[in-house]
Coordinates of all heavy atoms in Angstrom, one line a residue:
Chain H
L1105 N -6.7 8.7 15.0 CA -8.1 8.6 15.5 C -8.2 8.9 17.0 O -9.1 9.6 17.4 CB -8.6 7.2 15.1 CG -10.1 6.9 15.5 CD1 -11.0 7.9 14.7 CD2 -10.5 5.5 15.2
R1106 N -7.2 8.4 17.7 CA -7.2 8.6 19.1 C -7.1 10.1 19.5 O -7.9 10.6 20.3 CB -6.0 7.8 19.8 CG -6.1 7.7 21.3 CD -5.0 6.9 21.8 NE -4.9 5.5 21.4 CZ -5.7 4.6 22.0 NH1 -6.5 4.9 23.0 NH2 -5.6 3.3 21.5
D1107 N -6.3 10.8 18.8 CA -6.1 12.2 19.0 C -7.4 13.0 18.7 O -7.9 13.9 19.4 CB -5.0 12.8 18.2 CG -3.7 12.4 18.7 OD1 -3.6 12.0 19.9 OD2 -2.7 12.5 18.0
T1108 N -8.0 12.6 17.5 CA -9.3 13.2 17.1 C -10.3 13.0 18.2 O -11.1 13.9 18.5 CB -9.8 12.6 15.8 OG1 -8.7 12.7 14.8 CG2 -11.0 13.4 15.3
L1109 N -10.4 11.8 18.7 CA -11.5 11.5 19.7 C -11.2 12.3 21.0 O -12.1 12.8 21.7 CB -11.5 10.0 20.0 CG -12.0 9.1 18.8 CD1 -12.0 7.7 19.2 CD2 -13.5 9.5 18.5
K1110 N -9.9 12.4 21.3 CA -9.5 13.1 22.6 C -10.0 14.6 22.5 O -10.6 15.1 23.4 CB -8.0 13.1 22.7 CG -7.5 12.0 23.6 CD -6.1 12.3 24.1 CE -5.5 11.0 24.5 NZ -4.1 10.8 24.3
S1111 N -9.7 15.2 21.4 CA -10.1 16.6 21.3 C -11.6 16.8 21.2 O -12.1 17.8 21.7 CB -9.3 17.3 20.1 OG -9.7 16.7 18.9
L1112 N -12.2 15.8 20.6 CA -13.7 15.9 20.5 C -14.3 15.7 21.9 O -15.3 16.4 22.3 CB -14.2 14.8 19.6 CG -14.1 15.1 18.1 CD1 -14.3 13.8 17.3 CD2 -15.1 16.1 17.7
R1113 N -13.7 14.8 22.7 CA -14.2 14.6 24.0 C -14.1 15.9 24.8 O -15.0 16.2 25.5 CB -13.4 13.5 24.7 CG -13.7 13.3 26.2 CD -12.7 12.5 26.9 NE -11.4 12.7 26.5 CZ -10.3 12.5 27.3 NH1 -10.5 12.1 28.5 NH2 -9.1 12.7 26.9
L1114 N -12.9 16.5 24.8 CA -12.7 17.7 25.6 C -13.7 18.8 25.1 O -14.3 19.5 26.0 CB -11.3 18.2 25.4 CG -10.3 17.3 26.1 CD1 -8.9 17.8 25.7 CD2 -10.4 17.4 27.6
R1115 N -14.0 18.9 23.8 CA -14.9 19.9 23.4 C -16.3 19.6 23.8 O -17.1 20.4 24.2 CB -14.9 20.0 21.9 CG -14.5 21.4 21.4 CD -14.6 21.5 19.9 NE -13.7 20.7 19.2 CZ -13.9 20.3 18.0 NH1 -15.0 20.6 17.4 NH2 -13.0 19.6 17.3
Q1116 N -16.7 18.3 23.8 CA -18.0 17.9 24.2 C -18.3 18.2 25.6 O -19.4 18.6 26.0 CB -18.2 16.4 24.0 CG -18.9 16.0 22.8 CD -19.7 14.7 22.9 OE1 -19.6 14.0 23.9 NE2 -20.6 14.5 22.0
R1117 N -17.3 18.0 26.5 CA -17.5 18.3 27.9 C -17.6 19.8 28.2 O -17.8 20.2 29.3 CB -16.4 17.6 28.7 CG -16.4 16.1 28.6 CD -15.2 15.5 29.2 NE -15.3 15.5 30.7 CZ -14.3 15.6 31.5 NH1 -13.1 15.7 31.0 NH2 -14.4 15.6 32.8
G1118 N -17.4 20.6 27.2 CA -17.6 22.0 27.3 C -16.5 22.6 28.1 O -16.6 23.7 28.6
Y1119 N -15.4 21.9 28.3 CA -14.3 22.5 29.1 C -13.5 23.5 28.3 O -12.7 24.2 28.8 CB -13.4 21.4 29.6 CG -13.9 20.8 30.9 CD1 -14.3 19.5 30.9 CD2 -14.0 21.5 32.0 CE1 -14.8 18.9 32.0 CE2 -14.4 20.9 33.2 CZ -14.8 19.6 33.2 OH -15.3 19.0 34.3
N1120 N -13.8 23.5 27.0 CA -12.9 24.3 26.1 C -11.5 24.1 26.3 O -10.6 24.9 26.3 CB -13.2 25.8 26.3 CG -14.4 26.2 25.5 OD1 -14.9 25.5 24.7 ND2 -14.9 27.4 25.7
T1121 N -11.2 22.8 26.6 CA -9.9 22.3 26.9 C -9.3 22.8 28.2 O -8.1 22.5 28.5 CB -8.8 22.5 25.7 OG1 -8.5 23.8 25.6 CG2 -9.4 22.0 24.4
A1122 N -10.0 23.6 29.0 CA -9.4 24.0 30.3 C -10.1 23.1 31.3 O -11.2 22.7 31.2 CB -9.7 25.5 30.5
L1123 N -9.4 22.8 32.4 CA -9.9 21.9 33.4 C -9.5 22.4 34.8 O -8.5 22.0 35.4 CB -9.3 20.5 33.1 CG -9.9 19.4 34.0 CD1 -11.4 19.4 34.0 CD2 -9.4 18.1 33.4
F1124 N -10.3 23.4 35.3 CA -9.9 24.0 36.6 C -10.4 23.1 37.8 O -11.6 22.8 37.8 CB -10.5 25.4 36.7 CG -9.6 26.4 36.0 CD1 -10.0 26.8 34.7 CD2 -8.5 26.9 36.6 CE1 -9.2 27.8 34.1 CE2 -7.7 27.8 35.9 CZ -8.1 28.3 34.6
V1125 N -9.5 22.8 38.7 CA -10.0 22.2 40.0 C -9.4 23.0 41.2 O -8.4 23.6 41.1 CB -9.5 20.7 40.1 CG1 -10.2 19.9 39.0 CG2 -8.0 20.6 40.0
K1126 N -10.1 22.8 42.3 CA -9.6 23.4 43.5 C -8.5 22.6 44.2 O -8.7 21.3 44.2 CB -10.8 23.6 44.5 CG -11.8 24.6 44.0 CD -12.9 24.8 45.0 CE -14.1 25.5 44.4 NZ -15.3 25.4 45.3
V1127 N -7.5 23.2 44.8 CA -6.5 22.5 45.5 C -6.4 23.1 46.9 O -6.2 24.3 47.1 CB -5.1 22.7 44.8 CG1 -4.1 21.7 45.4 CG2 -5.2 22.5 43.3
Y1128 N -6.5 22.2 47.9 CA -6.3 22.6 49.3 C -5.1 21.9 49.9 O -4.9 20.7 49.7 CB -7.5 22.2 50.1 CG -8.7 23.1 49.8 CD1 -9.7 22.8 48.9 CD2 -8.9 24.3 50.6 CE1 -10.7 23.6 48.6 CE2 -10.0 25.2 50.3 CZ -10.9 24.8 49.4 OH -12.0 25.6 49.1
M1129 N -4.4 22.7 50.7 CA -3.4 22.1 51.6 C -4.0 21.8 52.9 O -4.7 22.7 53.5 CB -2.2 23.0 51.7 CG -1.2 22.6 52.8 SD 0.0 21.5 52.1 CE 1.2 22.6 51.6
E1130 N -3.9 20.6 53.4 CA -4.6 20.2 54.7 C -4.1 21.2 55.8 O -2.9 21.5 56.0 CB -4.1 18.8 55.1 CG -5.1 18.1 56.0 CD -4.8 16.7 56.2 OE1 -3.6 16.3 55.9 OE2 -5.7 15.9 56.6
G1131 N -5.1 21.8 56.5 CA -4.8 22.7 57.6 C -4.7 24.2 57.1 O -4.7 25.1 57.9
V1132 N -4.8 24.4 55.8 CA -4.8 25.8 55.3 C -6.2 26.0 54.7 O -6.6 25.4 53.8 CB -3.8 25.9 54.2 CG1 -3.8 27.4 53.7 CG2 -2.4 25.6 54.7
P1133 N -6.9 27.0 55.3 CA -8.3 27.2 54.9 C -8.5 27.7 53.5 O -9.5 27.4 52.8 CB -8.9 28.2 55.9 CG -7.7 28.8 56.5 CD -6.6 27.9 56.4
I1134 N -7.5 28.5 53.0 CA -7.7 29.1 51.7 C -7.1 28.2 50.6 O -5.9 27.9 50.7 CB -7.0 30.5 51.6 CG1 -7.4 31.4 52.8 CG2 -7.3 31.2 50.3 CD1 -8.7 32.1 52.7
G1135 N -7.8 27.9 49.6 CA -7.3 27.0 48.6 C -6.9 27.8 47.3 O -6.9 29.0 47.3
R1136 N -6.4 27.0 46.4 CA -5.9 27.6 45.1 C -6.7 26.9 44.0 O -7.4 25.9 44.2 CB -4.4 27.3 44.9 CG -3.5 27.7 46.0 CD -3.4 29.2 46.1 NE -2.9 29.8 44.9 CZ -1.6 30.1 44.6 NH1 -0.7 29.8 45.5 NH2 -1.3 30.7 43.5
K1137 N -6.6 27.5 42.8 CA -7.3 26.9 41.6 C -6.3 26.6 40.6 O -5.4 27.4 40.3 CB -8.4 27.8 41.1 CG -9.7 27.1 41.0 CD -10.8 27.9 40.6 CE -12.1 27.1 40.5 NZ -13.2 27.8 40.1
L1138 N -6.4 25.4 40.0 CA -5.4 25.0 39.0 C -6.0 24.4 37.7 O -7.0 23.7 37.8 CB -4.6 23.8 39.7 CG -3.2 23.6 39.4 CD1 -2.4 24.8 39.8 CD2 -2.7 22.4 40.3
D1139 N -5.4 24.8 36.6 CA -6.0 24.3 35.3 C -5.1 23.0 34.9 O -4.0 23.1 34.5 CB -5.8 25.4 34.2 CG -6.3 24.9 32.9 OD1 -6.8 23.7 32.8 OD2 -6.3 25.6 31.9
L1140 N -5.7 21.9 35.2 CA -5.0 20.6 35.0 C -4.7 20.4 33.5 O -3.7 19.6 33.2 CB -5.8 19.5 35.5 CG -6.0 19.4 37.0 CD1 -6.8 18.2 37.4 CD2 -4.7 19.4 37.7
S1141 N -5.4 21.0 32.6 CA -5.1 20.7 31.2 C -3.8 21.3 30.7 O -3.3 21.0 29.7 CB -6.2 21.3 30.3 OG -6.2 22.7 30.3
T1142 N -3.2 22.2 31.6 CA -1.9 22.7 31.2 C -0.8 21.8 31.5 O 0.4 22.1 31.2 CB -1.7 24.1 31.9 OG1 -1.7 23.9 33.3 CG2 -2.7 25.1 31.6
F1143 N -1.0 20.7 32.2 CA 0.0 19.8 32.6 C 0.1 18.6 31.7 O -1.0 18.1 31.2 CB -0.1 19.3 34.0 CG -0.2 20.5 35.0 CD1 -1.3 20.7 35.8 CD2 0.9 21.3 35.1 CE1 -1.3 21.7 36.7 CE2 0.9 22.4 36.0 CZ -0.3 22.6 36.8
S1144 N 1.2 18.1 31.4 CA 1.3 17.0 30.5 C 1.2 15.7 31.2 O 1.0 14.6 30.6 CB 2.7 17.0 29.7 OG 3.7 17.1 30.7
G1145 N 1.4 15.7 32.5 CA 1.3 14.4 33.3 C 1.5 14.7 34.8 O 1.6 15.8 35.2

Side-chain angles (χ1 to χ4, degrees):
Chain H
L1105 184 61
R1106 196 178 291 281
D1107 288 341
T1108 308
L1109 293 177
K1110 265 195 198 145
S1111 60
L1112 282 164
R1113 171 194 41 151
L1114 289 169
R1115 241 189 292 151
Q1116 260 215 343
R1117 293 171 79 209
Y1119 277 113
N1120 276 349
T1121 71
L1123 186 51
F1124 279 99
V1125 295
K1126 295 181 194 169
V1127 190
Y1128 285 92
M1129 169 85 91
E1130 205 171 16
V1132 179
I1134 312 276
R1136 307 289 304 265
K1137 235 176 176 181
L1138 213 55
D1139 179 0
L1140 292 181
S1141 69
T1142 60
F1143 304 119
S1144 54

